[in-house]
Amino acid sequence: MWQCGFMTDLYRSLLRHPRERCNEPVRRRRQRMWQGERKQRIRALLDTFGSVSVERLAQEFSVSHESIRRDLVAMEQDGSLRRVHGGAVSLPAEQDASYGARSTVRLKEKRAIAQAAMALVKSGQTLFLDGGTTTAALAEELKSVPELNILTNSLDVATTMASTQQRMGSRVFLLGGAIVHEPPETGGPSTINDIYRFKADLALLSPFGVDIKGGATNFFEHTAEIARAMVANTTSVVLIADHSKIGVTSRVRFCELDRVSALVTDRKAKALPALAALSGIVGRVIVADA
């Protein structure tokens, strides 16, 4: 009973504004919080407890359930949490990392994967590239291939490819839509509609996970929708994923494995039983020397 009461008091203290805690005898009614304040408190609760419920948050913040759900939706889109039935939970360390943080890890493997994937690309092709960190590494390699047509929703990929557009005779199309900051790309219905205007030779996609049961998956729903549309409008699908993604299933499936023409990964994946299982389903497995 003492432990239960202590945890309840701790939970409530995290919900309160610092000024409110200092003036508890004076303030007997909690004021409504702005959305930014609520998000800060929700993050604090997730750091401490690992999960939150809509019911409890609505009660403690004195706002509607819909307001809390909107907060949680926005925080999931920002990569701050994962929504579950009735509330939200904190993210595993790997999936919690921002795009900027992910772009600084396993650089050697990503560069090697990008170089190996170049064997599948030919001058004059039309390519879909999504907004992953490995596709950003691939864009650096694609700068040397002439007369490509690059269709991407990634701001990083578009900027990289545009730098050599005139010299190499390539064309770069940034797919239209609202700007999403995690990862930095365009997204939403307008982007999906734009994808359906084109037909690509290859879709080079960087998933959060590739698994024999889960297929190719992404963590964010909006990135999975983009990848799914690209899969539907290309002749061949190529997944570029380092060893940390092999045998992993994330939240949202976007592609069945029998649709995958090639999987490009790094040599550390060779020790994984999941890679052997995947090699029997996807069209081809290419292991980069890294």
Side-chain angles (χ1 to χ4, degrees):
M1 290 295 292
W2 175 86
Q3 185 177 16
C4 179
F6 171 78
M7 295 299 283
T8 299
D9 291 342
L10 176 60
Y11 191 98
R12 287 176 175 169
S13 71
L14 286 166
L15 287 165
R16 293 169 181 160
H17 193 282
R19 293 193 302 270
E20 198 172 18
R21 292 197 294 268
C22 293
N23 300 298
E24 187 64 27
V26 177
R27 295 194 178 185
R28 298 187 180 278
R29 297 185 64 183
R30 189 177 292 112
Q31 296 180 345
R32 288 195 174 191
M33 303 172 188
W34 296 103
Q35 187 181 46
E37 290 182 280
R38 292 200 302 268
K39 288 181 179 179
Q40 290 179 0
R41 314 281 176 83
I42 292 170
R43 290 189 186 98
L45 289 168
L46 287 170
D47 289 342
T48 304
F49 297 101
S51 65
V52 292
S53 72
V54 171
E55 181 71 32
R56 185 70 175 271
L57 293 175
Q59 179 182 357
E60 295 292 342
F61 291 151
S62 300
V63 296
S64 68
H65 288 64
E66 283 305 310
S67 293
I68 295 299
R69 290 191 184 98
R70 284 194 294 270
D71 289 347
L72 298 183
V73 167
M75 292 177 72
E76 183 177 53
Q77 291 175 347
D78 291 340
S80 300
L81 52 78
R82 177 166 67 90
R83 285 186 300 147
V84 296
H85 181 70
V89 296
S90 57
L91 299 177
E94 177 70 18
Q95 295 188 339
D96 185 40
S98 67
Y99 177 87
R102 295 198 308 274
S103 66
T104 64
V105 298
R106 291 182 287 279
L107 294 179
K108 181 180 178 182
E109 289 88 345
K110 291 174 182 178
R111 292 191 189 108
I113 290 168
Q115 291 166 3
M118 291 296 290
L120 304 172
V121 178
K122 298 178 182 178
S123 175
Q125 285 183 319
T126 297
L127 311 178
F128 279 132
L129 276 74
D130 67 0
T133 56
T134 310
T135 45
L138 177 60
E140 292 290 343
E141 302 296 327
L142 291 173
K143 290 192 298 184
S144 64
V145 182
E147 300 180 351
L148 291 174
N149 296 298
I150 303 296
L151 309 169
T152 185
N153 68 316
S154 166
L155 303 185
D156 285 349
V157 170
T159 301
T160 297
M161 294 303 302
S163 66
T164 60
Q165 192 170 216
Q166 291 184 338
R167 179 168 57 86
M168 301 306 296
S170 295
R171 295 195 299 168
V172 181
F173 299 87
L174 178 61
L175 298 163
I179 298 294
V180 180
H181 296 289
E182 185 58 40
E185 62 183 29
T186 56
S190 296
T191 310
I192 301 296
N193 291 337
D194 220 6
I195 290 171
Y196 275 87
R197 294 174 52 224
F198 300 96
K199 183 69 174 181
D201 299 298
L202 292 177
L204 294 125
L205 308 175
S206 177
F208 263 77
V210 189
D211 181 67
I212 190 170
K213 292 183 179 179
T217 52
N218 275 342
F219 181 76
F220 296 109
E221 185 174 354
H222 64 274
T223 61
E225 289 175 346
I226 296 294
R228 190 179 299 117
M230 290 180 173
V231 168
N233 290 278
T234 187
T235 301
S236 299
V237 176
V238 177
L239 300 180
I240 49 177
D242 67 60
H243 63 275
S244 70
K245 311 296 178 63
I246 306 301
V248 172
T249 299
S250 193
R251 292 181 62 236
V252 190
R253 184 195 303 248
F254 67 82
C255 183
E256 302 296 335
L257 294 179
D258 59 6
R259 181 72 173 86
V260 177
S261 301
L263 167 63
V264 187
T265 188
D266 62 89
R267 66 182 179 183
K268 291 181 181 179
K270 293 173 70 175
L272 301 174
L275 185 65
L278 289 167
S279 64
I281 301 177
V282 301
R284 178 185 180 188
V285 172
I286 300 174
V287 179
D289 187 17

